[in-house]
Amino acid sequence: MDTAVENASDLQCQVEEIEALSSIYGDEWCVIDEAARIFCIKISDDLYAPQWSICLQIILPEDYPSSAPPIYQINAAWLRGPDRIKLSNSLEELYLENAGESILYLWVEKIREFLIETSQSGNAAEGPETVRAITSEEEDDTWDEGDISNYNVLKLDMGQTHIFSSSSADEQLPPIKHGEPVTDRRSTFQPHLAPVVTPKQVQRVLDKLYENKKIASATHNIYAYRIYCEDKNTFLQDCEDDGETAAGGRLLHLLQILDVRDVLVVVSRWYGGILLGPDRFKHINNCARTILVQEGYMDNAVRSAPNGAKHKKALWCRISGGDALNATAEYKKLLSGGCI
């Protein structure tokens, strides 16, 4: 199909989908920037007495739904760690099962199902307000974030979608290294590192780390990874704040500046009750740099994955930190063949 015709068809599908969603969800559906195709919807577990809510922010690429997924960001301060990863994975799997079709309604209802399950679970008694109280040291801490770009938006490579549906058991668990903890004013930071060449390996490492009760109980588990796709000379990269606003983006920025690749770095932080301000970002990045040096990733500035492991193509990257509104420029760079 001619590109212009396909784009026109995609645009028509988007218009029809947006009209339907606006009709179905009413005030819950919000148009942020119609020209840039940026939308937001608030999803709750109960229409009349909501306890758990998530804001789903979406950017619709020009080639959605024919050949690209929506770019999305899940905004919910109480949603952390394994639960956030589980929800994100379920959305991506749902897209892959319905590739080429309009997906937003299915996504919204999947999130609603997740919220209902959360409200009915044994841990729901705490409520999101209680959870939110421990997810971030200081929500209104003042620091300059103007120089922090959003580095974690990649376009789905439709030729590699089968990787999502394959069993993670096929991916070997990489060795995980743990760095020395650093303590400042009762807050403790500890880095963890693993060589990775596929997103499945990233997931396996994160799952393994969360099996450790101490790590799972950390106030924040911030992570970033970079995987070099040799055949396209591009990077698959992503980051996660886990409630520590902008920390994931800063960590990924560090990996880019150091030009390290095929590596996942996680920094656990146990909050000690005393506000550290910008020093917390310094400790997170210093911990990451220390373990990279410790494991030899700084020897030649670039270190490939061990055992001659083959790289796989970039396939998906969700917006997991920062603001989805800042993602458009990075996405357009990808469409034009650029690399973030």
Side-chain angles (χ1 to χ4, degrees):
M1 183 184 294
D2 181 78
T3 302
V5 174
E6 188 171 275
N7 287 345
S9 176
D10 282 331
L11 179 59
Q12 182 61 34
C13 287
Q14 290 182 23
V15 169
E16 293 175 356
E17 184 176 22
I18 291 165
E19 288 178 351
L21 292 171
S22 178
S23 175
I24 293 170
Y25 297 112
D27 293 340
E28 292 181 331
W29 177 261
C30 176
V31 178
I32 296 177
D33 187 334
E34 188 169 10
R37 301 185 182 91
I38 303 175
F39 307 93
C40 183
I41 181 168
K42 183 179 180 181
I43 309 161
S44 303
D45 60 326
D46 187 279
L47 183 62
Y48 301 104
Q51 182 184 12
W52 300 83
S53 297
I54 286 176
C55 180
L56 179 66
Q57 201 166 352
I58 296 164
I59 302 174
L60 299 182
E62 293 180 356
D63 47 355
Y64 166 81
S66 65
S67 57
I71 301 169
Y72 73 96
Q73 176 176 332
I74 298 173
N75 295 324
W78 58 269
L79 184 62
R80 303 176 58 240
D83 288 335
R84 179 179 286 272
I85 294 171
K86 176 183 176 182
L87 178 58
S88 295
N89 287 344
S90 68
L91 297 184
E92 293 165 9
E93 289 169 3
L94 193 58
Y95 171 79
L96 295 178
E97 293 169 1
N98 298 273
E101 302 176 11
S102 298
I103 195 67
L104 297 184
Y105 175 78
L106 295 179
W107 273 9
V108 171
E109 293 308 308
K110 173 62 73 173
I111 293 174
R112 197 182 305 281
E113 289 177 11
F114 173 83
L115 292 173
I116 291 172
E117 290 175 2
T118 301
S119 67
Q120 294 174 346
S121 69
N123 296 328
E126 287 184 329
E129 294 301 328
T130 304
V131 177
R132 186 180 297 114
I134 63 170
T135 57
S136 182
E137 172 188 334
E138 43 211 285
E139 286 295 329
D140 45 3
D141 178 35
T142 55
W143 50 274
D144 182 14
E145 60 178 339
D147 59 342
I148 302 299
S149 302
N150 186 1
Y151 294 100
N152 43 327
V153 182
L154 286 179
K155 183 181 176 184
L156 174 66
D157 182 342
M158 294 302 295
Q160 297 294 321
T161 55
H162 64 277
I163 297 176
F164 271 129
S165 58
S166 63
S167 171
S168 60
D170 295 336
E171 300 287 353
Q172 182 179 2
L173 176 66
I176 303 174
K177 303 294 184 178
H178 306 280
E180 291 297 320
V182 173
T183 301
D184 179 14
R185 285 164 282 178
R186 297 194 302 188
S187 279
T188 299
F189 303 80
Q190 184 180 24
H192 322 278
L193 178 149
V196 294
V197 293
T198 70
K200 285 291 185 184
Q201 285 187 327
V202 172
Q203 185 61 58
R204 290 210 64 189
V205 171
L206 293 173
D207 290 343
K208 185 65 176 179
L209 287 173
Y210 277 114
E211 290 178 8
N212 183 303
K213 292 182 179 180
K214 181 179 179 181
I215 295 174
S217 67
T219 313
H220 311 287
N221 283 300
I222 304 111
Y223 71 79
Y225 68 85
R226 299 184 83 215
I227 298 173
Y228 180 57
C229 311
E230 189 172 8
D231 54 348
K232 287 190 174 182
N233 193 30
T234 58
F235 285 89
L236 171 61
Q237 51 195 6
D238 195 8
C239 63
E240 169 62 51
D241 296 336
D242 195 23
E244 187 70 284
T245 306
R250 289 173 178 243
L251 181 57
L252 180 55
H253 195 187
L254 174 69
L255 300 187
Q256 292 174 320
I257 291 172
L258 299 178
D259 195 24
V260 295
R261 55 188 67 183
D262 300 334
V263 64
L264 164 69
V265 177
V266 181
V267 179
S268 301
R269 187 218 176 159
W270 292 268
Y271 177 49
I274 299 175
L275 305 183
L276 300 187
D279 283 352
R280 67 192 190 275
F281 300 115
K282 177 186 70 177
H283 290 312
I284 291 167
N285 276 10
N286 283 347
C287 280
R289 182 189 294 269
T290 298
I291 198 169
L292 286 166
V293 171
Q294 173 186 314
E295 295 304 316
Y297 279 81
M298 304 288 290
D299 291 348
N300 300 309
V302 174
R303 169 173 167 174
S304 298
N307 302 325
K310 294 182 178 179
H311 300 279
K312 295 188 179 181
K313 297 180 181 178
L315 43 140
W316 185 290
C317 210
R318 67 185 71 100
I319 304 174
S320 55
D323 187 348
L325 296 178
N326 295 329
T328 309
E330 300 294 345
Y331 179 75
K332 288 181 178 178
K333 184 191 292 186
L334 283 165
L335 292 180
S336 63
C339 178
I340 43 180

